[in-house]
Amino acid sequence: MSCRRMENKFLAYVDGRLKESERLEMEKHLSACGACQLRVNEFRAVTGLLDELPEIEPSAAFDVRVRARVAAEPVKQGWWAWLTPSPRVAFAASLLLLATVWVASRPAEHPLTAADEAQINQDLPGLENFDVLSDFGALTDLPQPVQPDDAVDTNPDQNQNQDQGQDQNQDQKQPK
Amino acid sequence: MLDVKAGDEQSFELLLQRYRTPLVNFLYRMVRAREEAEDLAQEVFLRVYRARKEYVPSAKFTTWLFRIATNLALNSVRDNRHQRMEVSLDAPVTIDAEDGDEKVLDIAEKHPNIEQYMVEEARKKMIRHAIDKLPEKQRAAVLLHKYQELDYGDIAKILECSESALKSLLFRAYETLRVELAPLVARQGKQQ
């Protein structure tokens, strides 16, 4: 039995975790191999040294902190949670249902006749532009509509030209 | 744990009382800072509580618990590695007190035999130092093997490796410790 093959089992041997057959095989090897016997003893010494380290106790506040953190955890609700009766949701749903039924059951106050609809369709182009026309600045800035009688006075340049033309015609008509 | 899963809060309290000390010790030996070890242990319990509804007893509860603890500890050690390397050389000389806290060495401490006390403390410090020097995974393996006395199979599951890989890992770790602690080992051998 080679030392190389046995060394992987040193620790298990020291721990007492070898099977009975493996343990017997190890002991047979160790009795014939001083080097391996020494290493096994050193492994045993190492585990003994590790035992010397003392244990520490958690601080007094440790448990309190764990409990506080656990208590602060949000309560998880499963997918079925929304099925759980909730008074507020039930009340709101009832109100909504009642309102829907009430609105649906109301009769129309002034049902439209075919004539009304035809009239609306006829007025529709004007109604569509009502907002624009009712507040169209350019139209409100225009001067007052002119009266037919005052039409001549309203354009003196044109009248003057017309007068000059008439004078010229009269001059041409006069004998030289 | 199944009772905790069923909503029994008292059972969670039992788990807390049963595992608080082993967990805090394991984490303290991994991260070498008491306050951090307690914070991590609290996190372990919190994760157990959060996962209680999904818990499936496919493995031992202890295996599951220490798997959570080991992952947290390994992450913490890796995150703090750089920070630990920056410890000032001007820092005051300290010894590790038995309660796990580091404190400034006070020669006038009330010990009947201060010399013997200092020899014992130096010995413990040497052992702690040897464990600290192990690579994280080897350290976790040794702590789970030595102090939690878990089976090889359970430790392998915790460290997510095969049982043969774990045996090899443990062998290398104990070999390193044997060399690091050679002066103490020789003295121990003579005593035996």
Side-chain angles (χ1 to χ4, degrees), chain B residues 90-149:
Chain B
D90 297 328
V93 178
T94 61
I95 56 172
D96 293 342
E98 282 187 17
D99 64 357
D101 288 328
E102 290 208 346
K103 57 183 178 184
V104 177
L105 184 62
D106 182 4
I107 302 297
E109 279 188 89
K110 293 172 183 172
H111 287 281
N113 187 341
I114 188 69
E115 193 179 340
Q116 189 185 345
Y117 170 77
M118 288 182 70
V119 168
E120 283 172 10
E121 285 302 317
R123 188 182 167 93
K124 285 177 194 167
K125 191 168 186 176
M126 194 173 174
I127 299 168
R128 283 197 191 102
H129 189 62
I131 296 173
D132 289 350
K133 278 178 75 178
L134 292 173
E136 298 102 23
K137 207 167 177 180
Q138 286 187 23
R139 197 187 322 160
V142 168
L143 297 178
L144 292 168
H145 167 258
K146 180 62 195 167
Y147 298 108
Q148 308 308 323
E149 297 182 339

Short mmCIF file of all heavy atoms in Angstrom, two decimals, chain B residues 90-149:
data_model
loop_
_atom_site.label_atom_id
_atom_site.label_comp_id
_atom_site.label_asym_id
_atom_site.label_seq_id
_atom_site.Cartn_x
_atom_site.Cartn_y
_atom_site.Cartn_z
N ASP B 90 1.10 51.28 12.13
CA ASP B 90 1.21 52.06 13.36
C ASP B 90 0.11 51.72 14.35
O ASP B 90 0.03 52.30 15.42
CB ASP B 90 1.13 53.56 13.04
CG ASP B 90 2.29 53.98 12.16
OD1 ASP B 90 3.36 53.38 12.31
OD2 ASP B 90 2.12 54.88 11.34
N ALA B 91 -0.74 50.81 13.98
CA ALA B 91 -1.85 50.45 14.87
C ALA B 91 -1.30 49.90 16.18
O ALA B 91 -0.24 49.26 16.20
CB ALA B 91 -2.73 49.40 14.19
N PRO B 92 -2.00 50.16 17.30
CA PRO B 92 -1.49 49.68 18.58
C PRO B 92 -1.42 48.16 18.64
O PRO B 92 -2.20 47.47 17.97
CB PRO B 92 -2.50 50.22 19.59
CG PRO B 92 -3.73 50.50 18.80
CD PRO B 92 -3.27 50.86 17.43
N VAL B 93 -0.48 47.66 19.42
CA VAL B 93 -0.34 46.20 19.58
C VAL B 93 -1.57 45.68 20.30
O VAL B 93 -2.00 46.23 21.30
CB VAL B 93 0.91 45.89 20.41
CG1 VAL B 93 1.05 44.39 20.63
CG2 VAL B 93 2.15 46.44 19.71
N THR B 94 -2.15 44.64 19.75
CA THR B 94 -3.36 44.10 20.38
C THR B 94 -3.21 42.61 20.61
O THR B 94 -2.39 41.95 19.99
CB THR B 94 -4.60 44.32 19.49
OG1 THR B 94 -4.38 43.63 18.27
CG2 THR B 94 -4.87 45.78 19.24
N ILE B 95 -4.02 42.11 21.50
CA ILE B 95 -4.14 40.67 21.66
C ILE B 95 -5.60 40.31 21.49
O ILE B 95 -6.47 41.16 21.67
CB ILE B 95 -3.65 40.19 23.04
CG1 ILE B 95 -4.40 40.93 24.14
CG2 ILE B 95 -2.15 40.34 23.17
CD1 ILE B 95 -4.12 40.37 25.52
N ASP B 96 -5.89 39.09 21.13
CA ASP B 96 -7.27 38.67 20.98
C ASP B 96 -7.77 38.21 22.33
O ASP B 96 -7.26 37.23 22.89
CB ASP B 96 -7.39 37.52 19.98
CG ASP B 96 -7.03 38.01 18.59
OD1 ASP B 96 -7.05 39.23 18.38
OD2 ASP B 96 -6.74 37.16 17.74
N ALA B 97 -8.73 38.90 22.84
CA ALA B 97 -9.29 38.50 24.13
C ALA B 97 -10.14 37.25 23.96
O ALA B 97 -10.56 36.92 22.86
CB ALA B 97 -10.13 39.63 24.68
N GLU B 98 -10.37 36.58 25.03
CA GLU B 98 -11.10 35.31 24.94
C GLU B 98 -12.54 35.49 24.50
O GLU B 98 -13.14 34.58 23.96
CB GLU B 98 -11.06 34.59 26.30
CG GLU B 98 -9.73 33.91 26.52
CD GLU B 98 -9.73 33.07 27.78
OE1 GLU B 98 -10.81 32.76 28.28
OE2 GLU B 98 -8.65 32.73 28.25
N ASP B 99 -13.08 36.67 24.77
CA ASP B 99 -14.48 36.88 24.35
C ASP B 99 -14.58 37.26 22.88
O ASP B 99 -15.64 37.52 22.38
CB ASP B 99 -15.15 37.95 25.23
CG ASP B 99 -14.50 39.31 25.05
OD1 ASP B 99 -13.51 39.40 24.31
OD2 ASP B 99 -14.99 40.26 25.67
N GLY B 100 -13.43 37.25 22.20
CA GLY B 100 -13.46 37.49 20.77
C GLY B 100 -13.21 38.93 20.38
O GLY B 100 -13.00 39.22 19.22
N ASP B 101 -13.21 39.85 21.32
CA ASP B 101 -12.94 41.24 21.00
C ASP B 101 -11.44 41.49 21.03
O ASP B 101 -10.73 40.98 21.89
CB ASP B 101 -13.59 42.18 22.02
CG ASP B 101 -15.10 42.21 21.83
OD1 ASP B 101 -15.54 42.06 20.69
OD2 ASP B 101 -15.80 42.36 22.85
N GLU B 102 -10.99 42.32 20.11
CA GLU B 102 -9.60 42.71 20.17
C GLU B 102 -9.50 43.93 21.07
O GLU B 102 -10.34 44.82 21.03
CB GLU B 102 -9.08 43.04 18.77
CG GLU B 102 -8.96 41.81 17.91
CD GLU B 102 -7.89 41.97 16.85
OE1 GLU B 102 -7.47 43.10 16.63
OE2 GLU B 102 -7.51 40.95 16.27
N LYS B 103 -8.50 43.98 21.93
CA LYS B 103 -8.36 45.15 22.79
C LYS B 103 -6.87 45.47 22.93
O LYS B 103 -6.00 44.62 22.71
CB LYS B 103 -8.99 44.88 24.14
CG LYS B 103 -8.43 43.67 24.85
CD LYS B 103 -9.17 43.45 26.15
CE LYS B 103 -8.66 42.21 26.86
NZ LYS B 103 -9.39 41.90 28.07
N VAL B 104 -6.59 46.67 23.30
CA VAL B 104 -5.21 47.11 23.45
C VAL B 104 -4.58 46.34 24.61
O VAL B 104 -5.19 46.15 25.66
CB VAL B 104 -5.18 48.62 23.72
CG1 VAL B 104 -3.74 49.08 23.96
CG2 VAL B 104 -5.80 49.38 22.57
N LEU B 105 -3.35 45.87 24.35
CA LEU B 105 -2.66 45.07 25.36
C LEU B 105 -2.41 45.89 26.63
O LEU B 105 -1.83 46.95 26.59
CB LEU B 105 -1.33 44.59 24.78
CG LEU B 105 -0.50 43.66 25.65
CD1 LEU B 105 -1.26 42.38 25.91
CD2 LEU B 105 0.81 43.37 24.97
N ASP B 106 -2.89 45.38 27.73
CA ASP B 106 -2.71 46.07 29.01
C ASP B 106 -1.95 45.12 29.94
O ASP B 106 -2.49 44.13 30.43
CB ASP B 106 -4.08 46.43 29.59
CG ASP B 106 -3.94 47.20 30.89
OD1 ASP B 106 -2.79 47.50 31.26
OD2 ASP B 106 -4.97 47.48 31.52
N ILE B 107 -0.68 45.42 30.14
CA ILE B 107 0.17 44.53 30.93
C ILE B 107 -0.34 44.42 32.36
O ILE B 107 -0.16 43.39 33.02
CB ILE B 107 1.63 45.07 30.93
CG1 ILE B 107 2.15 45.17 29.50
CG2 ILE B 107 2.55 44.16 31.75
CD1 ILE B 107 2.23 43.86 28.75
N ALA B 108 -0.97 45.48 32.82
CA ALA B 108 -1.41 45.50 34.21
C ALA B 108 -2.73 44.78 34.42
O ALA B 108 -3.38 44.94 35.45
CB ALA B 108 -1.51 46.93 34.69
N GLU B 109 -3.14 44.00 33.44
CA GLU B 109 -4.41 43.29 33.60
C GLU B 109 -4.33 42.33 34.78
O GLU B 109 -3.28 41.80 35.10
CB GLU B 109 -4.76 42.54 32.32
CG GLU B 109 -5.39 43.44 31.29
CD GLU B 109 -5.91 42.64 30.13
OE1 GLU B 109 -7.07 42.22 30.19
OE2 GLU B 109 -5.13 42.42 29.21
N LYS B 110 -5.48 42.11 35.33
CA LYS B 110 -5.48 41.34 36.58
C LYS B 110 -5.45 39.84 36.31
O LYS B 110 -6.47 39.17 36.35
CB LYS B 110 -6.71 41.71 37.40
CG LYS B 110 -6.65 43.15 37.89
CD LYS B 110 -7.95 43.55 38.52
CE LYS B 110 -7.91 45.01 38.94
NZ LYS B 110 -9.21 45.49 39.40
N HIS B 111 -4.29 39.33 35.99
CA HIS B 111 -4.11 37.90 35.84
C HIS B 111 -3.07 37.45 36.86
O HIS B 111 -2.03 38.10 37.02
CB HIS B 111 -3.65 37.56 34.42
CG HIS B 111 -4.74 37.71 33.43
ND1 HIS B 111 -5.72 36.76 33.25
CD2 HIS B 111 -5.04 38.72 32.58
CE1 HIS B 111 -6.56 37.18 32.32
NE2 HIS B 111 -6.17 38.36 31.91
N PRO B 112 -3.32 36.34 37.52
CA PRO B 112 -2.41 35.91 38.57
C PRO B 112 -1.00 35.67 38.01
O PRO B 112 -0.01 35.98 38.65
CB PRO B 112 -3.03 34.63 39.11
CG PRO B 112 -4.03 34.21 38.09
CD PRO B 112 -4.46 35.43 37.38
N ASN B 113 -0.96 35.12 36.79
CA ASN B 113 0.35 34.87 36.21
C ASN B 113 0.35 35.47 34.80
O ASN B 113 -0.05 34.82 33.83
CB ASN B 113 0.60 33.36 36.17
CG ASN B 113 2.00 33.04 35.72
OD1 ASN B 113 2.68 33.87 35.12
ND2 ASN B 113 2.44 31.83 36.03
N ILE B 114 0.79 36.70 34.73
CA ILE B 114 0.70 37.42 33.46
C ILE B 114 1.55 36.77 32.38
O ILE B 114 1.18 36.75 31.21
CB ILE B 114 1.09 38.92 33.67
CG1 ILE B 114 0.81 39.74 32.41
CG2 ILE B 114 2.56 39.07 34.08
CD1 ILE B 114 -0.64 39.88 32.12
N GLU B 115 2.68 36.17 32.78
CA GLU B 115 3.57 35.56 31.79
C GLU B 115 2.88 34.36 31.13
O GLU B 115 2.87 34.22 29.90
CB GLU B 115 4.86 35.11 32.47
CG GLU B 115 5.95 34.76 31.47
CD GLU B 115 7.25 34.34 32.17
OE1 GLU B 115 7.43 34.67 33.36
OE2 GLU B 115 8.04 33.66 31.51
N GLN B 116 2.28 33.54 31.97
CA GLN B 116 1.58 32.36 31.44
C GLN B 116 0.39 32.78 30.56
O GLN B 116 0.15 32.20 29.50
CB GLN B 116 1.08 31.50 32.60
CG GLN B 116 0.53 30.16 32.14
CD GLN B 116 -0.08 29.37 33.28
OE1 GLN B 116 0.13 29.70 34.46
NE2 GLN B 116 -0.84 28.35 32.95
N TYR B 117 -0.30 33.82 31.02
CA TYR B 117 -1.43 34.35 30.26
C TYR B 117 -0.99 34.80 28.87
O TYR B 117 -1.63 34.48 27.86
CB TYR B 117 -2.06 35.51 31.03
CG TYR B 117 -3.09 36.28 30.24
CD1 TYR B 117 -4.37 35.77 30.03
CD2 TYR B 117 -2.77 37.53 29.69
CE1 TYR B 117 -5.30 36.48 29.31
CE2 TYR B 117 -3.70 38.24 28.97
CZ TYR B 117 -4.97 37.71 28.78
OH TYR B 117 -5.89 38.41 28.05
N MET B 118 0.15 35.49 28.83
CA MET B 118 0.64 36.01 27.55
C MET B 118 1.10 34.87 26.64
O MET B 118 0.89 34.94 25.42
CB MET B 118 1.77 37.01 27.79
CG MET B 118 1.24 38.31 28.38
SD MET B 118 2.53 39.52 28.63
CE MET B 118 2.94 39.98 26.97
N VAL B 119 1.67 33.84 27.22
CA VAL B 119 2.09 32.68 26.42
C VAL B 119 0.86 32.01 25.80
O VAL B 119 0.84 31.67 24.60
CB VAL B 119 2.90 31.69 27.29
CG1 VAL B 119 3.07 30.35 26.55
CG2 VAL B 119 4.25 32.27 27.64
N GLU B 120 -0.18 31.85 26.62
CA GLU B 120 -1.41 31.21 26.11
C GLU B 120 -2.05 32.06 25.02
O GLU B 120 -2.52 31.54 24.00
CB GLU B 120 -2.40 31.02 27.26
CG GLU B 120 -2.05 29.84 28.16
CD GLU B 120 -2.93 29.79 29.39
OE1 GLU B 120 -3.93 30.54 29.45
OE2 GLU B 120 -2.61 29.00 30.30
N GLU B 121 -2.07 33.37 25.24
CA GLU B 121 -2.67 34.27 24.25
C GLU B 121 -1.87 34.24 22.94
O GLU B 121 -2.45 34.26 21.86
CB GLU B 121 -2.76 35.70 24.80
CG GLU B 121 -3.86 35.89 25.83
CD GLU B 121 -5.23 35.54 25.31
OE1 GLU B 121 -5.55 35.91 24.16
OE2 GLU B 121 -5.98 34.86 26.03
N ALA B 122 -0.56 34.20 23.07
CA ALA B 122 0.29 34.15 21.86
C ALA B 122 0.05 32.85 21.09
O ALA B 122 0.00 32.84 19.86
CB ALA B 122 1.76 34.26 22.26
N ARG B 123 -0.17 31.80 21.82
CA ARG B 123 -0.45 30.50 21.21
C ARG B 123 -1.78 30.53 20.45
O ARG B 123 -1.87 30.09 19.31
CB ARG B 123 -0.49 29.47 22.36
CG ARG B 123 -0.59 28.04 21.97
CD ARG B 123 -0.66 27.24 23.28
NE ARG B 123 -1.07 25.87 23.04
CZ ARG B 123 -0.21 24.88 22.86
NH1 ARG B 123 1.08 25.10 22.89
NH2 ARG B 123 -0.65 23.65 22.65
N LYS B 124 -2.79 31.08 21.11
CA LYS B 124 -4.11 31.20 20.46
C LYS B 124 -4.03 32.09 19.23
O LYS B 124 -4.65 31.82 18.20
CB LYS B 124 -5.14 31.78 21.44
CG LYS B 124 -5.61 30.80 22.48
CD LYS B 124 -6.54 31.49 23.43
CE LYS B 124 -6.76 30.64 24.68
NZ LYS B 124 -7.41 31.42 25.75
N LYS B 125 -3.26 33.15 19.38
CA LYS B 125 -3.13 34.08 18.26
C LYS B 125 -2.47 33.39 17.08
O LYS B 125 -2.85 33.62 15.92
CB LYS B 125 -2.32 35.30 18.70
CG LYS B 125 -2.36 36.43 17.69
CD LYS B 125 -1.81 37.70 18.27
CE LYS B 125 -2.00 38.84 17.28
NZ LYS B 125 -1.56 40.12 17.83
N MET B 126 -1.48 32.56 17.38
CA MET B 126 -0.78 31.84 16.31
C MET B 126 -1.75 30.88 15.60
O MET B 126 -1.73 30.76 14.37
CB MET B 126 0.38 31.05 16.93
CG MET B 126 1.37 30.53 15.94
SD MET B 126 2.79 29.82 16.81
CE MET B 126 3.70 29.14 15.44
N ILE B 127 -2.59 30.23 16.38
CA ILE B 127 -3.57 29.30 15.78
C ILE B 127 -4.58 30.08 14.92
O ILE B 127 -4.86 29.70 13.78
CB ILE B 127 -4.31 28.50 16.88
CG1 ILE B 127 -3.31 27.65 17.68
CG2 ILE B 127 -5.40 27.62 16.29
CD1 ILE B 127 -3.89 27.07 18.98
N ARG B 128 -5.07 31.18 15.47
CA ARG B 128 -6.02 32.01 14.71
C ARG B 128 -5.38 32.51 13.42
O ARG B 128 -6.01 32.51 12.36
CB ARG B 128 -6.45 33.22 15.55
CG ARG B 128 -7.45 32.89 16.61
CD ARG B 128 -8.13 34.16 17.13
NE ARG B 128 -8.88 33.84 18.32
CZ ARG B 128 -8.48 34.09 19.56
NH1 ARG B 128 -7.33 34.69 19.76
NH2 ARG B 128 -9.23 33.76 20.59
N HIS B 129 -4.13 32.93 13.55
CA HIS B 129 -3.42 33.48 12.39
C HIS B 129 -3.26 32.40 11.31
O HIS B 129 -3.42 32.69 10.11
CB HIS B 129 -2.06 34.01 12.84
CG HIS B 129 -1.34 34.78 11.78
ND1 HIS B 129 -1.85 35.95 11.25
CD2 HIS B 129 -0.16 34.54 11.14
CE1 HIS B 129 -1.01 36.39 10.33
NE2 HIS B 129 0.02 35.56 10.24
N ALA B 130 -2.96 31.19 11.75
CA ALA B 130 -2.80 30.08 10.79
C ALA B 130 -4.11 29.80 10.06
O ALA B 130 -4.12 29.56 8.84
CB ALA B 130 -2.32 28.82 11.52
N ILE B 131 -5.21 29.86 10.80
CA ILE B 131 -6.53 29.64 10.17
C ILE B 131 -6.83 30.79 9.21
O ILE B 131 -7.31 30.58 8.09
CB ILE B 131 -7.64 29.52 11.24
CG1 ILE B 131 -7.41 28.27 12.10
CG2 ILE B 131 -9.02 29.45 10.58
CD1 ILE B 131 -8.37 28.15 13.28
N ASP B 132 -6.54 32.00 9.66
CA ASP B 132 -6.82 33.18 8.81
C ASP B 132 -6.06 33.14 7.50
O ASP B 132 -6.52 33.67 6.50
CB ASP B 132 -6.43 34.47 9.56
CG ASP B 132 -7.38 34.78 10.69
OD1 ASP B 132 -8.43 34.10 10.78
OD2 ASP B 132 -7.08 35.67 11.51
N LYS B 133 -4.87 32.55 7.53
CA LYS B 133 -4.03 32.54 6.33
C LYS B 133 -4.52 31.54 5.28
O LYS B 133 -4.10 31.60 4.12
CB LYS B 133 -2.58 32.21 6.70
CG LYS B 133 -1.82 33.45 7.19
CD LYS B 133 -0.40 33.11 7.59
CE LYS B 133 0.49 32.87 6.40
NZ LYS B 133 1.89 32.59 6.85
N LEU B 134 -5.39 30.63 5.68
CA LEU B 134 -5.91 29.65 4.71
C LEU B 134 -6.75 30.36 3.66
O LEU B 134 -7.44 31.33 3.98
CB LEU B 134 -6.78 28.61 5.41
CG LEU B 134 -6.09 27.63 6.36
CD1 LEU B 134 -7.16 26.79 7.08
CD2 LEU B 134 -5.14 26.71 5.60
N PRO B 135 -6.73 29.88 2.43
CA PRO B 135 -7.67 30.42 1.43
C PRO B 135 -9.11 30.25 1.94
O PRO B 135 -9.39 29.30 2.67
CB PRO B 135 -7.42 29.55 0.19
CG PRO B 135 -6.06 28.97 0.38
CD PRO B 135 -5.86 28.83 1.86
N GLU B 136 -10.00 31.18 1.54
CA GLU B 136 -11.36 31.23 2.14
C GLU B 136 -12.08 29.88 2.12
O GLU B 136 -12.70 29.50 3.11
CB GLU B 136 -12.24 32.24 1.41
CG GLU B 136 -11.76 33.67 1.46
CD GLU B 136 -11.07 34.10 0.19
OE1 GLU B 136 -11.32 33.50 -0.88
OE2 GLU B 136 -10.26 35.03 0.26
N LYS B 137 -12.00 29.20 1.00
CA LYS B 137 -12.76 27.96 0.88
C LYS B 137 -12.19 26.88 1.79
O LYS B 137 -12.93 26.11 2.42
CB LYS B 137 -12.78 27.49 -0.59
CG LYS B 137 -14.00 26.66 -0.93
CD LYS B 137 -14.16 26.49 -2.42
CE LYS B 137 -15.35 25.60 -2.72
NZ LYS B 137 -15.54 25.40 -4.16
N GLN B 138 -10.86 26.83 1.87
CA GLN B 138 -10.22 25.86 2.78
C GLN B 138 -10.57 26.19 4.23
O GLN B 138 -10.82 25.32 5.05
CB GLN B 138 -8.71 25.89 2.59
CG GLN B 138 -8.23 25.24 1.31
CD GLN B 138 -6.71 25.13 1.25
OE1 GLN B 138 -6.03 25.14 2.26
NE2 GLN B 138 -6.19 25.05 0.04
N ARG B 139 -10.59 27.50 4.52
CA ARG B 139 -10.91 27.92 5.89
C ARG B 139 -12.34 27.50 6.24
O ARG B 139 -12.59 26.95 7.32
CB ARG B 139 -10.79 29.44 6.00
CG ARG B 139 -10.71 29.92 7.44
CD ARG B 139 -10.77 31.42 7.55
NE ARG B 139 -10.06 32.11 6.50
CZ ARG B 139 -10.26 33.37 6.16
NH1 ARG B 139 -11.17 34.09 6.80
NH2 ARG B 139 -9.58 33.93 5.19
N ALA B 140 -13.26 27.74 5.31
CA ALA B 140 -14.66 27.36 5.57
C ALA B 140 -14.75 25.85 5.78
O ALA B 140 -15.46 25.38 6.69
CB ALA B 140 -15.54 27.80 4.41
N ALA B 141 -14.02 25.10 4.96
CA ALA B 141 -14.06 23.63 5.08
C ALA B 141 -13.55 23.18 6.44
O ALA B 141 -14.16 22.33 7.10
CB ALA B 141 -13.22 23.01 3.95
N VAL B 142 -12.44 23.76 6.88
CA VAL B 142 -11.87 23.38 8.18
C VAL B 142 -12.83 23.72 9.32
O VAL B 142 -13.08 22.92 10.23
CB VAL B 142 -10.50 24.07 8.40
CG1 VAL B 142 -10.03 23.92 9.84
CG2 VAL B 142 -9.47 23.50 7.45
N LEU B 143 -13.42 24.92 9.26
CA LEU B 143 -14.32 25.35 10.33
C LEU B 143 -15.57 24.47 10.40
O LEU B 143 -16.03 24.11 11.49
CB LEU B 143 -14.72 26.81 10.14
CG LEU B 143 -13.59 27.85 10.21
CD1 LEU B 143 -14.12 29.25 9.96
CD2 LEU B 143 -12.90 27.78 11.58
N LEU B 144 -16.10 24.13 9.22
CA LEU B 144 -17.29 23.28 9.20
C LEU B 144 -16.95 21.86 9.66
O LEU B 144 -17.75 21.21 10.34
CB LEU B 144 -17.88 23.24 7.78
CG LEU B 144 -18.50 24.56 7.29
CD1 LEU B 144 -18.77 24.50 5.79
CD2 LEU B 144 -19.78 24.88 8.04
N HIS B 145 -15.76 21.41 9.31
CA HIS B 145 -15.33 20.06 9.68
C HIS B 145 -14.99 19.98 11.16
O HIS B 145 -15.46 19.10 11.88
CB HIS B 145 -14.11 19.68 8.83
CG HIS B 145 -13.39 18.47 9.30
ND1 HIS B 145 -12.22 18.55 10.01
CD2 HIS B 145 -13.68 17.14 9.19
CE1 HIS B 145 -11.81 17.33 10.31
NE2 HIS B 145 -12.67 16.46 9.82
N LYS B 146 -14.23 20.95 11.64
CA LYS B 146 -13.71 20.87 13.00
C LYS B 146 -14.72 21.31 14.05
O LYS B 146 -14.90 20.66 15.08
CB LYS B 146 -12.44 21.73 13.09
CG LYS B 146 -11.80 21.74 14.46
CD LYS B 146 -11.34 20.34 14.84
CE LYS B 146 -11.04 20.24 16.32
NZ LYS B 146 -10.90 18.85 16.75
N TYR B 147 -15.39 22.45 13.80
CA TYR B 147 -16.23 23.03 14.85
C TYR B 147 -17.71 22.67 14.71
O TYR B 147 -18.42 22.65 15.70
CB TYR B 147 -16.06 24.55 14.88
CG TYR B 147 -14.64 24.96 15.19
CD1 TYR B 147 -13.81 25.49 14.22
CD2 TYR B 147 -14.12 24.77 16.47
CE1 TYR B 147 -12.51 25.84 14.50
CE2 TYR B 147 -12.80 25.12 16.77
CZ TYR B 147 -12.00 25.64 15.77
OH TYR B 147 -10.71 25.98 16.07
N GLN B 148 -18.18 22.43 13.51
CA GLN B 148 -19.59 22.03 13.36
C GLN B 148 -19.73 20.52 13.25
O GLN B 148 -20.84 20.01 13.32
CB GLN B 148 -20.21 22.70 12.11
CG GLN B 148 -20.02 24.21 12.04
CD GLN B 148 -20.45 24.93 13.30
OE1 GLN B 148 -21.44 24.55 13.93
NE2 GLN B 148 -19.70 25.95 13.70
N GLU B 149 -18.60 19.86 13.06
CA GLU B 149 -18.57 18.40 13.00
C GLU B 149 -19.57 17.84 11.99
O GLU B 149 -20.28 16.87 12.26
CB GLU B 149 -18.80 17.80 14.39
CG GLU B 149 -17.70 18.20 15.35
CD GLU B 149 -17.87 17.59 16.74
OE1 GLU B 149 -18.99 17.20 17.06
OE2 GLU B 149 -16.87 17.52 17.48
#
